[in-house]
């Protein structure tokens, strides 16, 4: 099985925890490709310590990106995953699983790797976005939108169809980049991707909000049924600590995420020390949610998320 991570050195700790959890639940030969901008020599040695008879760690150089690419969130390294053809130009593999560094692998991910992509180049989990975000990204009203934190990618088909070139042309036409790399992927594929089970990408909202509140807050147009979301909550294969207004990622002080202790335990196993939580400023949305009655808070936050935020992006563009 093949895996890919793309980060900069600031997210090295999170990636190491994710890789450690992946190794713990996998008893097959795996190759883990890593792109890490500005990786320190100490961290490079730490990464190489994970090499074993079953685990092959391959550190790759960062691909060159179009100059006009500007991240609207996170690091520029997020865009590397859209240059699969360039990254694997001289590496002959059929497919891989891309993983964000802010994930932890809870059980065997082999079932996802062995999934038949059929006619599609990628497979991904649905992200709960409203219709207005489809207008922003110029995709069809009834197209599913993916979360790019966990992707099953047919590398050979990506290269054969010269998808890098198509992405570069799209970038050339864009003035701004909404939702980072994910927005580009959504516009390129326009719903033509294999929808994977949400258990392979259990985002933070599944653990922070009940299903009704999630629907009010995000107003998803194309999304999973309630039973699949409940299943992803109860038995996630990949837990994805996505950033939300709750600031509930396990490395933040005060986190109450149900998989916080698992993350901390994995950190200690990798680094041989206790983790010092990061003090992170709370957002205005967080205080609104905590101070106002639940129904009112979710309604206000949903209005901001699905009406004000798209208008703001439109004005920027």
């Amino acid at each position: 099985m093949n895996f890919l991570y793309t980060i900069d050195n600031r997210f090295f700790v999170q990636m190491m925890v994710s890789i450690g959890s992946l190794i713990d639940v996998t008893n097959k030969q795996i190759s883990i490709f890593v792109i890490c901008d500005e990786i320190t020599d100490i961290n490079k040695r730490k990464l190489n310590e994970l090499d074993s008879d079953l685990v092959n760690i391959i550190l790759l150089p960062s691909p060159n990106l179009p100059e006009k690419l500007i991240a609207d969130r996170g690091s520029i390294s997020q865009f590397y995953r859209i240059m699969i053809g360039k990254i694997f130009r001289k590496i002959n593999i059929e497919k891989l699983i891309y993983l964000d560094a802010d994930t932890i692998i809870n059980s065997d991910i082999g079932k996802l790797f062995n999934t038949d992509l059929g006619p599609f180049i990628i497979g991904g989990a649905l992200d709960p976005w409203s219709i207005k975000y489809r207008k922003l990204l110029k995709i069809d009203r009834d197209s599913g939108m993916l979360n790019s934190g966990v992707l099953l990618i047919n590398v050979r088909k990506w290269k054969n169809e010269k998808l890098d070139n198509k992405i570069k042309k799209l970038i050339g036409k864009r003035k701004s980049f909404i939702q980072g790399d994910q927005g580009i992927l959504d516009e390129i594929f326009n719903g033509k991707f294999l929808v994977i089970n949400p258990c392979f990408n259990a985002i933070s909202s599944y653990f922070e909000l009940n299903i009704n509140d999630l629907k009010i807050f995000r107003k998803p147009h194309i999304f999973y049924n309630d039973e699949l979301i409940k299943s992803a909550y109860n038995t996630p294969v990949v837990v994805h600590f996505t950033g939300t207004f709750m600031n509930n990622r396990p490395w933040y002080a005060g986190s109450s995420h149900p998989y916080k202790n698992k993350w901390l335990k994995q950190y200690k196993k990798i680094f041989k020390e206790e983790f010092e939580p990061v003090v992170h400023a709370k957002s205005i949305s967080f205080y609104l949610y905590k101070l106002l009655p639940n129904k009112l808070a979710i309604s206000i936050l949903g209005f901001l998320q699905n009406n004000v935020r798209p208008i703001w992006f439109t004005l920027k563009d």
Side-chain angles (χ1 to χ4, degrees):
M1 292 191 291
N2 305 304
F3 298 88
L4 172 67
Y5 291 85
T6 66
I7 63 164
D8 64 25
N9 197 64
R10 291 172 297 177
F11 233 53
F12 181 81
V13 165
Q14 286 81 358
M15 182 189 71
M16 288 291 287
V17 171
S18 181
I19 292 176
S21 68
L22 171 63
I23 292 171
D24 279 356
V25 299
T26 307
N27 59 6
K28 298 181 179 69
Q29 186 78 42
I30 60 174
S31 293
I32 302 174
F33 298 93
V34 173
I35 297 175
C36 182
D37 281 347
E38 300 177 346
I39 187 170
T40 64
D41 290 338
I42 291 174
N43 284 347
K44 192 180 293 186
R45 288 194 294 272
K46 195 70 182 173
L47 179 63
N48 288 332
E49 287 175 7
L50 299 179
D51 241 11
S52 69
D53 292 339
L54 287 179
V55 180
N56 186 20
I57 303 289
I58 304 109
L59 193 59
L60 298 175
S62 308
N64 293 325
L65 296 172
E67 289 184 6
K68 70 180 296 184
L69 264 181
I70 299 173
D72 69 323
R73 57 178 192 176
S75 163
I76 196 71
S77 62
Q78 68 184 271
F79 292 113
Y80 296 154
R81 80 193 85 171
I82 66 175
M83 294 288 134
I84 291 294
K86 185 175 288 187
I87 293 170
F88 292 97
R89 184 169 62 90
K90 296 183 179 180
I91 300 173
N92 185 26
I93 59 172
E94 181 180 355
K95 62 180 177 179
L96 61 78
I97 293 175
Y98 167 82
L99 291 168
D100 267 358
D102 56 352
T103 57
I104 196 164
I105 319 306
N106 193 48
S107 58
D108 185 15
I109 199 172
K111 186 176 180 180
L112 175 60
F113 186 81
N114 293 325
T115 298
D116 182 6
L117 278 166
F120 301 109
I121 295 176
I122 66 168
L126 293 171
D127 219 355
W129 292 106
S130 69
I131 287 176
K132 292 189 177 181
Y133 286 92
R134 287 161 172 79
K135 292 180 181 178
L136 275 175
L137 294 170
K138 301 177 179 64
I139 63 177
D140 295 341
R141 175 188 175 92
D142 291 327
S143 288
M145 294 179 67
L146 57 78
N147 182 293
S148 62
V150 180
L151 297 171
L152 178 63
I153 302 174
N154 186 321
V155 176
R156 192 166 294 161
K157 187 174 288 189
W158 184 300
K159 292 194 288 187
N160 288 342
E161 297 195 13
K162 296 181 171 56
L163 200 60
D164 282 20
N165 293 337
K166 296 176 184 177
I167 289 172
K168 285 179 183 177
K169 287 180 182 178
L170 185 151
I171 291 169
K173 296 176 182 177
R174 290 273 289 270
K175 294 179 181 179
S176 60
F177 300 94
I178 305 159
Q179 294 301 117
D181 68 291
Q182 186 169 301
I184 293 172
L185 290 174
D186 271 320
E187 190 167 347
I188 279 288
F189 290 107
N190 194 16
K192 295 178 177 63
F193 62 92
L194 180 71
V195 177
I196 64 175
N197 192 297
C199 72
F200 293 115
N201 191 350
I203 58 176
S204 292
S205 294
Y206 295 169
F207 303 97
E208 295 170 347
L209 301 172
N210 63 47
I211 294 174
N212 287 334
D213 284 352
L214 176 60
K215 289 177 180 178
I216 295 170
F217 175 51
R218 296 289 292 271
K219 291 183 172 55
H221 180 54
I222 305 292
F223 202 46
Y224 300 106
N225 62 45
D226 293 359
E227 288 306 311
L228 278 174
I229 298 174
K230 288 177 184 177
S231 178
Y233 170 85
N234 290 322
T235 55
V237 176
V238 180
V239 179
H240 187 187
F241 302 109
T242 46
T244 69
F245 70 87
M246 297 289 282
N247 296 325
N248 204 23
R249 292 163 132 179
W251 48 90
Y252 288 156
S255 170
S256 59
H257 197 289
Y259 284 86
K260 169 187 173 180
N261 289 337
K262 182 160 188 171
W263 191 93
L264 293 174
K265 184 178 179 180
Q266 188 66 55
Y267 172 90
K268 186 175 182 179
K269 181 177 180 180
I270 294 286
F271 293 98
K272 316 301 181 189
E273 62 183 13
E274 300 288 343
F275 181 74
E276 185 66 32
V278 177
V279 177
H280 189 75
K282 302 294 186 184
S283 66
I284 294 174
S285 296
F286 173 85
Y287 289 112
L288 278 173
Y289 182 72
K290 290 296 183 180
L291 293 174
L292 296 177
N294 184 75
K295 189 174 181 180
L296 177 61
I298 288 294
S299 296
I300 292 173
L301 293 175
F303 177 79
L304 294 173
Q305 174 74 18
N306 298 291
N307 293 280
V308 176
R309 192 168 181 260
I311 291 171
W312 168 248
F313 277 128
T314 302
L315 292 174
K316 283 177 66 179
D317 199 41

